[in-house]
Amino acid sequence: MRSRTWGVSFGKRTIVHIDMDAFFAQVEVLDHPEYRGKPLVVGGRRDSRRGVVSTASYEARKYGIRSAMPIQRAVQLCPHAIFVPPRMARYEEVSRRIFEVLETFSPLVEPLSIDEAFLDMTGTEHFYEDARHMGLELKRRIFEATSLTGSVGIAPNKFIAKLASDREKPDGLVIVPAADVDAFLTPLPVEALWGVGPKTAARLKSIGVHTVRDVRERPLSQLAQVVGPRLAAHVQALAFGRDERPVEPDIEAKSIGRETTFEEDVPDGPELRAVLARLAANVGWRLRKEGVFARTVTVKIRYPDFETHTKSRTLAEPFRDDDTLYREAARLLDEFRLRRPLRLLGVYASGLQHAAQTSLFGKREDRLSDVLDAINAKLGGRVVRRGREL
Ligand code: TTP
Ligand code: MG
């Protein structure tokens, strides 16, 4: 009976989005209890000239302090706030614990950033009395493991789940069953639609489209005139609450990969390409060491604000040579058309199969990689490298 109630209320899928509250700030309070209840700014010391705010406690947000604001602006807004530099390694450690908890709830966990994830809970509904209990249990288990609070949204798809988790921050839990989607969405401003930035919003408003309801009521052809046919179709589908994107679990779990976080953000150019070559060569070396071939190359990028994206390409033939890895990774990196410097770059190989499953022994590129591996093995490490890695 329970699962029938769930089925009726959520449609085909039950998607959860979780986002920790003022994440870096909460970790700082955890490690420094004397900060609790005070305005706290993570990003740099009070005298930092170039620093920007990573995040601020909810107490500090009352003064108008926000992520990405210069530290000096935050000092002006709230002179008595506590200012601390970020401790990334510590936040990453706490993040790992959160993801360990999430993975006990569903095998389909998609990390979006250090403190944010989607879970596909479809098929697990019968474990919980209802959606609220599911959400509370998730929050309780995370709190038990970390003493931190997060906000949860539960909905029939990713788009609505993410909006829902944001609705009652901090420590929120918002459930949007299929029957409530219309009431939840229609009053929202067009900016709430994923993919609608300031430019698109301005174009829509120029024809009198201000809310999600307006987007629903306009003929697609009118929307297409101002934002183009593709975006118009996408935006209108979202306005009706339609979003079929699957929850895509972490590529790192079933892949061989390597990523690097830069000390200083790196723009696209020779330096970034050399890093890409080194990452590709490291991945190729590990594929060969494990005796496996891959079918898919993935490039992962992260911007300074932690926005993270991946692009993948699956090839017709399995591979494990550095040249194929580098060539495909470089093409994927091109496709991002980077306009900002990167904080992180990663290369992954997945779709792994054992050498015996392929008939590719002895391809020329493969032999070159093998020769380099043999020399490097003698020299004890990856000493001999190709020019592009230098
Ligand atoms: P967010 O989840 O965007 O923010 P938050 O967790 O601090 O606050 P909220 O309760 O609104 O979710 O980002 C997670 C962490 O990423 C944040 O704690 C600090 C870091 N971050 C930056 O360093 N710079 C940024 O511009 C943003 C947005 C986040
Ligand atoms: Mg957060």
Side-chain angles (χ1 to χ4, degrees), residues 26 50 121 160 211 216 276:
Q26 267 206 92
R50 285 190 54 225
M121 297 291 280
I160 298 171
T211 64
R216 287 188 177 203
L276 189 76

Side-chain angles (χ1 to χ4, degrees), residues 19-24 54-55 58 61 67 115 169 305-306:
D19 186 335
M20 301 303 289
D21 306 317
F23 182 53
F24 294 3
S54 296
T55 195
Y58 277 79
R61 292 182 196 194
S67 291
D115 79 327
K169 261 185 170 292
D305 62 1
F306 282 89

Side-chain angles (χ1 to χ4, degrees), residues 36-86:
R36 188 169 294 279
K38 301 202 170 129
L40 170 67
V41 176
V42 181
R45 286 182 220 290
R46 156 189 313 278
D47 58 3
S48 161
R49 291 283 135 211
R50 285 190 54 225
V52 292
V53 175
S54 296
T55 195
S57 66
Y58 277 79
E59 290 83 355
R61 292 182 196 194
K62 289 186 195 142
Y63 295 84
I65 299 175
R66 296 284 180 272
S67 291
M69 174 182 281
I71 294 286
Q72 286 314 310
R73 176 83 188 114
V75 173
Q76 283 169 0
L77 288 170
C78 183
H80 64 282
I82 298 162
F83 290 84
V84 298

Side-chain angles (χ1 to χ4, degrees), residues 114-149:
I114 192 164
D115 79 327
E116 196 186 340
F118 284 114
L119 281 79
D120 188 339
M121 297 291 280
T122 312
T124 71
E125 293 88 348
H126 60 283
F127 291 121
Y128 311 92
E129 202 171 315
D130 56 21
R132 182 156 300 277
H133 282 80
M134 175 190 278
L136 288 172
E137 179 64 6
L138 201 62
K139 283 158 63 85
R140 189 186 68 76
R141 291 271 309 284
I142 288 175
F143 190 82
E144 200 174 74
T146 63
S147 306
L148 303 180
T149 65

